[in-house]
Amino acid sequence: MQFVHDSLPQRVRFATGAAAENLAAEVAALGARRVMVIAGASERELADRVTAGLPVVNRHDDVVMHVPVEVAERAQVAAAASRADMVVSVGGGSTTGLAKAVALSTGLPIVAVPTTYAGSEATAVWGLTEDLVKTTGTDARVLPRAIVYDAALTLSLPVGLSVASGLNALAHCVDSMWAPRTDPINRALAAEGVRALRAGLPLVVKDPDGLEGREQALYGAYLSAVAFASAGSGLHHKTCHVLGGMFNLPHAQTHAVVLPHVLAFNAPFTQEAEQRLAAAFGSRTAVEGLAGLRDELGAPRSLRDLGMPRKGVPAAAEAVVAAAPAGNPRPVTLDAVTALISDAWEGVEPR
């Protein structure tokens, strides 16, 4: 066995019902005096509650999915105008992504308070969209200094969005099994992430107001993101970034639809990863395990239902082939990717 593994420098505070207390502790520890709070309009009340008592100089709610460049620029201007010395993000992946866009240009530290299972808070990956193309990169400046996890903050996330967001986290685990920089530590984290998400998400569906399932899902989402941050972006995420940027599709739902098709595409070509995933699902095979979970959750099925036009399949396939990472377990050909995206568009069983 031989590998090189990097662990990202970040503190995690995980406690249900303690978001405000733990956030205040992180702001104090970092010595911030002028805090910019980024939270979408729909989460304004929650953000106000969590940040009460902090030295807030700007509350920014101009949050847009996939972080368009012009939206990022407006947030950067707001940060400069308010002379902020820290950014606190309260929300899902789009909110965290906008905070990262501010940090990318200003170097301001971020403390992230997630309200979904997106996982962006645990990575140094940023993403910006311009002219229907989503560009991603990695930069140490955008990694939040700390994460404040509180499962109670996810109670407002409807069941359907909880399912999609949780499957997005599961996709981080799956991609981490064969991404360009994967190693045994990533695979171990990813397998535990699958186990926790497999346990937690059905409980969220069964009892949306319960905290046990949401705690397990949030824990699994963090593990999945840590694995993904180290392993890098695999074929699944490259595919979803192309589709999301090109057709402005909802991020989590796109991941939920595409994941079974990429898993079925790659799993037969990587025995060790397939066996690890199958064991984490508690199933005979990884594909069967994911299929059973998706049935149990009532997961979204087709890109067509998300608004992708059928005529967009050929262009998307070409872009995915161009973006595909080296070393994917199975050769990424145009014919194969066209079939994969077509199946995902139709919502048929993966093959």
Side-chain angles (χ1 to χ4, degrees):
M1 183 183 298
Q2 183 174 342
F3 61 88
V4 175
H5 177 85
D6 287 324
S7 296
L8 298 179
Q10 184 180 67
R11 180 163 40 238
V12 175
R13 293 179 182 262
F14 195 115
T16 298
E21 174 186 347
N22 282 338
L23 176 59
E26 286 303 322
V27 171
L30 291 168
R33 297 176 180 274
R34 302 182 63 83
V35 176
M36 176 182 187
V37 176
I38 298 180
S42 63
E43 302 205 275
R44 178 64 184 264
E45 182 180 349
L46 184 153
D48 286 349
R49 186 168 71 248
V50 170
T51 61
L54 298 183
V56 177
V57 295
N58 183 277
R59 296 185 181 274
H60 191 84
D61 64 5
D62 183 12
V63 178
V64 180
M65 185 173 61
H66 301 303
V67 195
V69 167
E70 61 273 17
V71 172
E73 290 173 346
R74 290 197 292 269
Q76 291 159 359
V77 169
S82 61
R83 295 184 292 114
D85 59 6
M86 171 185 283
V87 179
V88 169
S89 64
V90 183
S94 297
T95 305
T96 308
L98 184 58
K100 287 181 172 185
V102 172
L104 188 64
S105 67
T106 64
L108 292 178
I110 303 170
V111 176
V113 186
T115 60
T116 72
Y117 311 119
S120 176
E121 66 277 0
T123 80
V125 178
W126 56 267
L128 294 169
T129 302
E130 185 173 23
D131 296 330
L132 304 181
V133 176
K134 186 169 185 177
T135 301
T136 61
T138 303
D139 194 301
R141 290 175 297 177
V142 309
L143 177 71
R145 301 285 185 89
I147 310 170
V148 173
Y149 283 119
D150 182 344
L153 301 185
T154 71
L155 288 172
S156 61
L157 192 65
V159 168
L161 286 178
S162 295
V163 167
S165 184
L167 289 173
N168 178 20
L170 198 65
H172 289 129
C173 297
V174 172
D175 244 5
S176 296
M177 288 291 180
W178 48 59
R181 301 188 304 274
T182 194
D183 61 43
I185 296 175
N186 303 145
R187 293 191 182 106
L189 291 168
E192 172 64 0
V194 171
R195 186 211 59 76
L197 289 160
R198 177 67 184 88
L201 291 176
L203 292 178
V204 173
V205 172
K206 182 179 180 180
D207 181 16
D209 295 327
L211 288 171
E212 181 183 355
R214 292 183 180 272
E215 284 186 338
Q216 282 294 307
L218 200 58
Y219 164 65
Y222 168 70
L223 293 177
S224 74
V226 172
F228 179 76
S230 175
S233 185
L235 179 62
H236 171 82
H237 279 78
K238 295 297 185 182
T239 301
C240 291
H241 286 162
V242 166
L243 295 171
M246 191 173 286
F247 306 110
N248 196 35
L249 303 182
H251 181 81
Q253 290 89 334
T254 301
H255 282 271
V257 169
V258 172
L259 178 59
H261 298 277
V262 176
L263 179 60
F265 182 82
N266 271 343
F269 292 79
T270 172
Q271 184 177 8
E272 180 187 358
E274 199 285 330
Q275 290 175 346
R276 279 178 175 264
L277 289 169
F281 278 118
S283 181
R284 187 178 67 88
T285 70
V287 170
E288 288 180 6
L290 178 59
L293 177 61
R294 285 169 51 80
D295 288 343
E296 194 173 348
L297 300 178
R301 295 282 172 180
S302 76
L303 295 174
R304 171 173 52 190
D305 292 344
L306 302 183
M308 177 180 168
R310 178 69 177 86
K311 64 182 180 181
V313 170
E318 289 184 2
V320 169
V321 171
N328 190 68
R330 179 177 176 179
V332 181
T333 66
L334 182 58
D335 286 347
V337 172
T338 299
L340 186 155
I341 296 176
S342 295
D343 287 350
W345 186 86
E346 291 280 359
V348 300
E349 289 300 311
R351 51 191 170 93

